[in-house]
Amino acid sequence: MLWEFYICFLNMTLLLHLSLGQEHQGAVEVHHISAGHFFQLKCSDDDDAEARTTVTWSRGGNQTLNTTSGVDVRGEVLWFLPTHTSHNGHYTCESKYPTGSWEMKFVLSVDPGPCPVPAEIRTVSQGMSEVVFCRQQDVLSLDPTAHIRWFKDCSPVDKHGETIIEEDCPKRLRLVNATESHAGVYTCLVEFSLQGRNYTATHSTQLKVNKEKVPLKPQVTYPRKETFTVEPGSRVELVCSAFLGVGEGTESESSMFWTVDGRHTDHIEQLNVTKTTILPRSSGVYGRSTLSIYEVRPEFLNVTISCIARNAVGRDIGFLWLQPANHSGFYTCLCLCLAFSMVVLGVAMCCLFKVDLVLAYRRLLPLVSKKRAPDGKLYDAYVSYVHGDGLSRAEMFALQVLPEVLERRYGYTLFVSGRDDLPGEAIHDVTSETMRRSRRLIIILSAQSASPLHPKMDPEDQLPLHQSLQDRPSYDQQIGLYDALIQNGLRVVLVEIDGKVDYTSLPKSLHYIRRKQGALRWRRPSSGKSSSTASPNGHFWKCLRYHMPFKPKGALKPQPTPGINCSIELY
């Protein structure tokens, strides 16, 4: 090419010039640029720039640069604003130091063409990647907002393909999987502003593509340094991938093998390289090897297992380690789940068998605890019911059935209204004092209780402080409900007998307690069953005892009844 001949001519001229006896210290630099572009010549870029006293530029030996148009001398740098074909020639800079002087010579070749002569030549093997740099760092530092355009053989570069990629940091072109079509002269054109004027700067690089692929050193891509968790005694397969190189003969000269703790796998039982595949592709030769461990033994754990890829150029090694699985987290989670399940099961069992558990606890408590101090109470329960003209069901239950079970069988002390009253007592005082010395208030209701004694009166007015025997229950219920609701003293137990009770005709206080805590329901035994504790009332007595206070001693053992959930019925 013409420009190659021109470079040789300049080099021969320079050598001839030096051989004629002009001896100068320093080096000679040759620069090829295009006319009309900005360019800089630096005298020196060494680290002792601060030690220099003066820098003097000259052209062609003794010609000063003050008379050269388009050239600005700025200390140790020559600025061509811009270059012209008249700037062709030899330039010399002399740096003077306290201990001597130093000269540098430059040959500037200004080409009139649109694209400059390449300043460097790069060679890339076919199928490999290469980077072309825009070596204009000085210009980019003058204007960081400079714009760069790329040309190939003086034509704009098509960067929309997948093989030529422009990268901004640093300014460069990346050629991927180079082919013969990538060969040529690449030029970067930098457009920038300086002191209010616009300039351009260029740099060219010639790229040659070598058809013969150069062998490369292999590289293990996976694993590099990996750790795997395995179960001792299990079967494991380890996979290794590697790039083995490029060029003819690479496939036949490449190999992959494994070592365990420095020993080749061929000499270890329970190990076998089941498959090694070498695949030639357009970008190179790749390999894949699989190591099968039939049984993970202790000697395979926590030792270095190496995958080695080798070709004619060299070799590369990837490392991995096997470590036993740690199940502490699993067992911890399992224990927490079991504990949570036990808690849920325990809560469910307590809810289902709460009554049986409480009654059993009460039977065992005297055996393991000391005798409790008396609480000043005389009665375990105060039994109240609504009197009628005759022997009502509620009255019969309160006078006969309830004492038979709670007093005679379980040893509770009851005060039954209508049974334990003494003639001539002051009803108000005795009732209040008896309530105060009782632990529970049992109110017995039946369908008859909802039929007021005075139908024309409001239900709330049917609890006056009358002194007749029929109205006494109304008074003791009024005292007990007041103590339970206002003073939060007595605990009230509602007992319904013989079916559902209509509370709309009863005092609102009873209706409120019914909604808040429910009621126990007693049903009359069927014909042929005389026992008051027979089914369906076996669970009723357990529930009633559950709501009664603890009786430490003196009670007989109850008859066995099936375990039930004895919640008070709400409906």
Side-chain angles (χ1 to χ4, degrees), residues 397-408:
F397 182 82
L399 297 177
Q400 298 179 7
V401 179
L402 199 63
E404 177 185 352
V405 177
L406 293 184
E407 287 186 334
R408 295 187 181 90

Side-chain angles (χ1 to χ4, degrees), residues 322-496:
L322 302 180
Q323 64 179 15
N326 185 4
H327 298 292
S328 59
F330 170 76
Y331 291 127
T332 301
C333 182
L334 180 62
C335 291
L336 291 177
C337 292
L338 291 177
F340 178 76
S341 302
M342 294 298 294
V343 170
V344 172
L345 181 61
V347 172
M349 294 295 292
C350 289
C351 293
L352 292 175
F353 300 97
K354 175 176 62 176
V355 174
D356 298 275
L357 293 175
V358 171
L359 296 181
Y361 171 76
R362 290 177 181 178
R363 289 195 298 269
L364 297 175
L365 187 60
L367 303 177
V368 297
S369 63
K370 298 180 180 179
K371 185 177 181 181
R372 296 190 302 174
D375 57 0
K377 303 294 184 179
L378 184 62
Y379 302 101
D380 293 313
Y382 187 103
V383 182
S384 176
Y385 58 94
V386 178
H387 285 266
D389 294 335
L391 186 63
S392 65
R393 292 182 179 177
E395 186 175 1
M396 179 186 66
F397 182 82
L399 297 177
Q400 298 179 7
V401 179
L402 199 63
E404 177 185 352
V405 177
L406 293 184
E407 287 186 334
R408 295 187 181 90
R409 178 169 297 183
Y410 296 106
Y412 286 101
T413 302
L414 306 178
F415 183 93
V416 183
S417 177
R419 184 195 72 173
D420 300 324
D421 311 287
L422 295 178
E425 289 181 327
I427 297 176
H428 302 121
D429 297 337
V430 172
T431 301
S432 178
E433 178 64 19
T434 305
M435 288 279 187
R436 187 180 66 82
R437 305 190 67 179
S438 300
R439 299 182 179 90
R440 299 288 187 273
L441 171 60
I442 301 177
I443 299 179
I444 303 174
L445 302 173
S446 67
Q448 296 176 349
S449 303
S451 301
L453 298 177
H454 305 283
K456 296 181 180 181
M457 296 178 62
D458 187 83
E460 291 293 338
D461 296 333
Q462 295 196 35
L463 295 178
L465 303 180
H466 300 307
Q467 297 186 14
S468 63
L469 185 61
Q470 292 179 349
D471 292 333
R472 169 181 281 184
S474 300
Y475 174 73
D476 56 32
Q477 290 177 17
Q478 188 178 27
I479 294 295
L481 294 175
Y482 174 82
D483 184 57
L485 298 178
I486 304 302
Q487 297 183 350
N488 197 24
L490 277 176
R491 289 181 56 184
V492 179
V493 181
L494 296 181
V495 177
E496 299 176 358

Side-chain angles (χ1 to χ4, degrees), residues 286-305:
Y286 295 85
R288 180 184 178 90
S289 179
T290 302
L291 175 65
S292 296
I293 302 178
Y294 300 140
E295 181 183 356
V296 178
R297 295 181 176 180
E299 57 265 26
F300 301 148
L301 299 174
N302 299 316
V303 297
T304 302
I305 300 178

Side-chain angles (χ1 to χ4, degrees), residues 177-243:
N177 193 13
T179 61
E180 293 183 12
S181 62
H182 288 116
V185 178
Y186 291 85
T187 303
C188 66
L189 177 66
V190 183
E191 300 172 339
F192 67 102
S193 298
L194 180 64
Q195 298 176 349
R197 299 184 60 183
N198 295 327
Y199 296 95
T200 58
T202 60
H203 179 81
S204 294
T205 301
Q206 183 182 12
L207 181 67
K208 295 182 178 181
V209 177
N210 188 0
K211 297 181 180 179
E212 295 182 0
K213 297 183 179 180
V214 180
L216 298 177
K217 183 179 178 180
Q219 181 180 7
V220 175
T221 57
Y222 181 85
R224 296 305 302 174
K225 292 182 179 180
E226 305 292 337
T227 301
F228 298 96
T229 301
V230 296
E231 291 287 347
S234 63
R235 176 187 174 93
V236 176
E237 288 190 350
L238 305 176
V239 179
C240 176
S241 302
F243 168 76

